[in-house]
Amino acid sequence: MKFCNFLLRVDGIREAARDDFEAVIEKGLRTYRPVRQKYLYSIEMEIVEERFFWMSCDYDDAKRFRDFVINRETGERQPNPRSKEQIEPKQQFFACYDCATHMLYLNDMTRRPFLEKYLSDTLQKEFKINNVYASVDEFCDRVKTIRGFQYTQVDNLFSRNSDLFMQIGNMWGQDLPSKIQLKMTYGDIPVHGGGRQIIDIFRHHKEEFDNVIIIGCDDEGVEQTFDFSSLLKHLEIHPVKDENEQFTPDEVKELLLKELR
C-alpha cells in the first residue's frame, strides 16, 4: 500500500492545524454521503500522540443494487439477502495528517474530492488539497499562470537591510518585527512570460524567507501550489489483508505512523 503526501490549506491562507481536526472529530458525521454523489462513507477518526490526525473510511456505491446474488458453490441465483437501504462497504480509504510537518498522506488520490468536501462541510471552511511537486521545473510545466505568492520574511542577517523591515518598524515606531507574513496576488501572470522570473528571484534570495508558497493555475483553471519547503514523498507499507480481502485499519495506522515518526 502506497501513501502519497499533499499540502492541505484552510481558506487559502494557512496550513491545517491540530485544532481544526479536533473540531472535525467533535462535529463530523460518522456516516456521510456527499450531495449528488453515489458513495456512502463510514468514518472513524482520532488524534494520535497529539500529533497525527487519523481517518479510516469504509465506503461503497450507495445506489448500485441487484435483487439477486449468485451462490458461488452452486452457481444459482438467489434473492439478495440485504435490502437496498443496506450498503456493503467493500472499499477502504485511509488518510493521515501530520500536524508537526503539516503534510497530508493519502493512500488513494481519487478520494481527494471527498476529503476536501467532508472537511469543508464539517467546519464551514474551505479545505483545499494541493499536490506536492518535486521541483520548480515540474511545477512550471504543470501550470499556465502564476497567481501569487505567500511567504514569511524573517529578521535575520540576510534580511536585516530589507527596506520592507525598516518601513514596518518605522511605521509604528517600534522595534523591528521578527517575522512578516505576506500574501501577494497578481492577475495571472503567464508562467513563461514573467512568472518564472519572479520565482527565480525567490530562489536566489531564499535565505531571507520562510514558508514560500507559489500559487499557480493550470489549463483547467484549478489552483496548484508549490511549497519550497516540501518534497514529494511516497511511503510504502505492507499490511496484510484478512480472509475477506480487507485491511485491518489499526495495522495500517501503526505501520504508517512508524514510518512518519
Side-chain angles (χ1 to χ4, degrees):
M1 179 185 296
K2 182 182 291 185
F3 281 83
C4 297
N5 64 332
F6 298 89
L7 303 172
L8 181 61
R9 307 288 177 195
V10 185
D11 289 332
I13 58 174
R14 65 176 177 86
E15 298 168 323
R18 195 180 77 184
D19 289 348
D20 296 309
F21 295 108
E22 289 175 343
V24 168
I25 291 174
E26 178 184 353
K27 301 177 182 179
L29 299 172
R30 292 322 193 251
T31 302
Y32 176 76
R33 180 180 172 187
V35 177
R36 293 187 295 277
Q37 294 188 20
K38 64 181 181 178
Y39 288 113
L40 177 73
Y41 296 83
S42 176
I43 302 168
E44 298 291 336
M45 300 176 288
E46 63 177 314
I47 301 289
V48 182
E49 300 171 4
E50 299 185 353
R51 171 180 169 181
F52 302 102
F53 167 74
W54 170 255
M55 172 185 278
S56 170
C57 300
D58 296 297
Y59 72 99
D60 220 304
D61 194 325
K63 292 185 176 180
R64 185 174 299 172
F65 179 80
R66 298 302 297 271
D67 57 7
F68 68 89
V69 295
I70 299 176
N71 187 312
R72 67 181 182 184
E73 300 295 334
T74 65
E76 66 177 320
R77 293 189 179 190
Q78 298 174 345
N80 194 333
R82 71 174 178 89
S83 69
K84 194 170 184 177
E85 288 71 34
Q86 296 173 313
I87 309 302
E88 183 180 0
K90 298 183 291 295
Q91 303 186 67
Q92 293 177 287
F93 166 64
F94 305 102
C96 182
Y97 185 79
D98 188 340
C99 299
T101 63
H102 303 288
M103 280 290 164
L104 174 68
Y105 294 86
L106 308 178
N107 76 312
D108 183 352
M109 292 185 288
T110 66
R111 297 301 100 198
R112 287 170 58 177
F114 147 71
L115 185 56
E116 286 178 336
K117 185 160 182 57
Y118 179 77
L119 296 175
S120 300
D121 286 352
T122 299
L123 295 189
Q124 294 299 297
K125 299 177 182 179
E126 184 185 19
F127 283 77
K128 188 70 175 177
I129 299 172
N130 296 115
N131 292 325
V132 174
Y133 293 95
S135 68
V136 172
D137 290 336
E138 181 187 358
F139 174 76
C140 289
D141 287 341
R142 289 287 301 274
V143 299
K144 182 178 181 181
T145 60
I146 300 300
R147 184 160 287 178
F149 296 85
Q150 178 179 320
Y151 66 92
T152 301
Q153 189 163 12
V154 294
D155 180 18
N156 58 24
L157 178 64
F158 300 100
S159 65
R160 188 63 57 82
N161 296 323
S162 166
D163 290 338
L164 178 60
F165 264 91
M166 297 301 297
Q167 290 173 7
I168 295 295
N170 294 334
M171 183 183 301
W172 306 110
Q174 303 292 326
D175 293 335
L176 297 182
S178 59
K179 292 185 178 181
I180 300 175
Q181 293 181 322
L182 294 172
K183 183 175 182 180
M184 301 183 296
T185 303
Y186 300 103
D188 286 337
I189 302 174
V191 67
H192 298 300
R196 181 59 190 260
Q197 289 89 330
I198 299 175
I199 294 173
D200 289 338
I201 291 174
F202 277 99
R203 293 178 67 184
H204 295 149
H205 296 273
K206 61 183 179 181
E207 296 89 353
E208 300 179 24
F209 306 104
D210 278 347
N211 305 322
V212 178
I213 298 168
I214 310 168
I215 305 167
C217 192
D218 64 20
D219 289 333
E220 297 179 356
V222 178
E223 279 196 359
Q224 304 287 338
T225 61
F226 178 81
D227 188 333
F228 274 99
S229 64
S230 302
L231 293 175
L232 186 66
K233 182 184 296 183
H234 294 164
L235 296 178
E236 192 165 341
I237 60 174
H238 302 281
V240 178
K241 290 184 177 181
D242 61 21
E243 61 182 5
N244 297 316
E245 288 295 302
Q246 297 292 300
F247 293 108
T248 302
D250 283 344
E251 182 186 14
V252 176
K253 177 180 65 178
E254 290 307 316
L255 290 174
L256 178 62
L257 294 189
K258 182 178 179 181
E259 295 293 326
L260 294 179
R261 292 189 191 101

